[in-house]
Amino acid sequence: MKKALSENTDVVDIHHAGTAMRFLTSYYSIQNGKITILTGSKRMKERPIKNLVTALKSLGVEIEYMENEGFPPLKIKGRKITQPKVDVPANISSQFITSLLLIAGKLENGLEINLVGEVTSRSYIEMTLNILTRFGIKNSFIGNTIKVEPFINHQSSIINYEVESDWSSVSYFYSFAALGRKTIHLKSFYKESTQGDSAIAKIYEKFFGIKTIFSDADHTITLKPDSGFILPEKIVLDMNNCPDIAQTLCVTAAALKIPFEISGLGTLRVKETDRLLALHNELKKLGTETEFTDLSIKSISFNEPEDNISIKTYQDHRMAMAFAPFCLIEELEIEDEDVVEKSYPKFWEDLQIILTENS
């Protein structure tokens, strides 16, 4: 993303980065008169982007599918958008909606987005709107209608914005705390976070006895296992607002042999890989049999793990990191470990620190 925004090139290759593909599609759509080819890896060319393209086309942008209908690569001819309203399915990935929101303040007439149907991952949309507000872009989210006013910057000024650490990335250390029953300290997290994945704190306290102690002074958190905690008989949870931490939860539950039934996972089938199928396949290696639908996954039985466990990552960073904590139960190999470069380049280094300090 950073590289694409800093270079003035006609062909932009974002490799496996789905977030960059979605956000940059809208960004290049408002670069008036500029033609951009936006492409990515083989897997990226299999990930649907039709809903976002359809929305941008309805706003007057010229976008062409260069290979397969509904999928990257895209040829985008940027233009000045004046159409103020667009309808978008409410149950699509929130990143499609965020992509539109990030350009909305730059549009001459702002933008009104009507979300058709039941909203998926509302918390992520609200997080984006909160950031826009911090930068002085007025907006509202009432019912299924989002309105963003055009941004008029009357003066040049520098805004200092502190980026909070990523709650989905910290989920893996909650798993380490739950399996190893050791205290872990982490920094740059806010108690009143707008990130949907901050739900990990309450989830792991309720189901695994991991208390989160916040320090407002320096924004650190301490993950402290409750020594007297009794594991639940079953985990039943709707993770519609935090699907990115579902893999972590499933691996933790599998390691502790806690039956689980997780719903609200409709977006996981169109991520870096089909995450529900990937979970089903790799949990079996840990001894956990599961069944899944388009929206859910649940455990069926727990057996002994395979010998010489080798976890496939399917070019998905979260598969690598979610399964890593199982090393506290059985030795295992993570294939294509460099896949974490996408979102957490120092994951294995930080993992080594955790394992060393808590050994």
Side-chain angles (χ1 to χ4, degrees), residues 99-126:
S99 179
L100 296 170
L101 292 176
L102 291 176
I103 65 167
K106 289 287 290 183
L107 307 186
E108 183 177 293
N109 298 308
L111 188 63
E112 179 179 314
I113 301 175
N114 179 39
L115 302 176
V116 182
E118 184 179 353
V119 180
T120 299
S121 303
R122 177 179 288 265
S123 62
Y124 294 121
I125 300 172
E126 292 174 342

Side-chain angles (χ1 to χ4, degrees), residues 85-356:
K85 295 183 179 181
V86 65
D87 291 343
V88 177
N91 63 348
I92 59 174
S93 168
S94 62
Q95 288 191 1
F96 290 166
I97 300 164
T98 290
S99 179
L100 296 170
L101 292 176
L102 291 176
I103 65 167
K106 289 287 290 183
L107 307 186
E108 183 177 293
N109 298 308
L111 188 63
E112 179 179 314
I113 301 175
N114 179 39
L115 302 176
V116 182
E118 184 179 353
V119 180
T120 299
S121 303
R122 177 179 288 265
S123 62
Y124 294 121
I125 300 172
E126 292 174 342
M127 179 174 66
T128 302
L129 294 174
N130 179 269
I131 293 172
L132 295 185
T133 300
R134 291 278 296 274
F135 281 88
I137 301 172
K138 295 180 180 179
N139 59 79
S140 64
F141 189 5
I142 301 173
N144 277 34
T145 301
I146 307 170
K147 293 182 180 179
V148 180
E149 296 184 16
F151 178 60
I152 302 174
N153 190 5
H154 296 291
Q155 60 182 14
S156 297
S157 60
I158 296 174
I159 297 175
N160 293 316
Y161 186 89
E162 182 179 358
V163 179
E164 181 185 15
S165 291
D166 176 34
W167 278 94
S168 61
S169 291
V170 80
S171 71
Y172 314 116
F173 296 104
Y174 273 90
S175 187
F176 275 110
L179 300 184
R181 310 312 293 179
K182 300 289 186 180
T183 299
I184 299 175
H185 304 282
L186 301 153
K187 63 181 181 179
S188 298
F189 290 94
Y190 305 145
K191 189 172 185 178
E192 304 302 327
S193 176
T194 58
Q195 293 184 48
D197 292 329
S198 63
I200 193 75
K202 291 182 179 179
I203 290 172
Y204 268 67
E205 180 170 7
K206 178 178 180 180
F207 295 113
F208 304 111
I210 304 300
K211 295 182 178 180
T212 304
I213 302 170
F214 291 86
S215 172
D216 294 332
D218 54 5
H219 299 305
T220 60
I221 58 173
T222 299
L223 312 186
K224 189 174 181 60
D226 180 350
S227 59
F229 184 77
I230 299 174
L231 294 175
E233 293 184 1
K234 186 175 182 179
I235 298 172
V236 179
L237 195 60
D238 182 342
M239 300 187 76
N240 181 64
N241 284 327
C242 52
D244 281 345
I245 57 178
Q247 289 152 291
T248 312
L249 178 73
C250 289
V251 173
T252 309
L256 296 172
K257 298 188 182 334
I258 305 172
F260 58 86
E261 187 171 341
I262 313 300
S263 59
L265 305 179
T267 61
L268 292 194
R269 306 211 70 175
V270 292
K271 297 284 188 175
E272 283 79 348
T273 186
D274 180 340
R275 286 180 174 166
L276 292 178
L277 176 60
L279 270 174
H280 171 77
N281 291 340
E282 303 311 303
L283 285 172
K284 185 180 297 185
K285 298 174 182 178
L286 309 187
T288 301
E289 294 286 343
T290 62
E291 64 179 29
F292 65 96
T293 68
D294 285 341
L295 303 173
S296 64
I297 186 169
K298 68 176 181 179
S299 61
I300 302 301
S301 64
F302 297 103
N303 309 294
E304 289 302 309
E306 292 182 357
D307 295 328
N308 304 316
I309 301 170
S310 182
I311 300 298
K312 288 182 63 177
T313 55
Y314 306 84
Q315 299 182 336
D316 184 350
H317 56 138
R318 298 202 189 282
M319 285 296 291
M321 294 184 283
F323 278 81
F326 194 80
C327 72
L328 296 177
I329 307 298
E330 296 278 348
E331 182 176 312
L332 77 165
E333 175 189 1
I334 303 291
E335 298 178 15
D336 189 21
E337 73 276 8
D338 290 339
V339 73
V340 301
E341 293 284 337
K342 175 182 172 181
S343 64
Y344 194 163
K346 292 186 177 182
F347 176 74
W348 301 116
E349 296 175 33
D350 290 347
L351 169 56
Q352 187 60 47
I353 292 172
I354 293 292
L355 295 177
T356 300

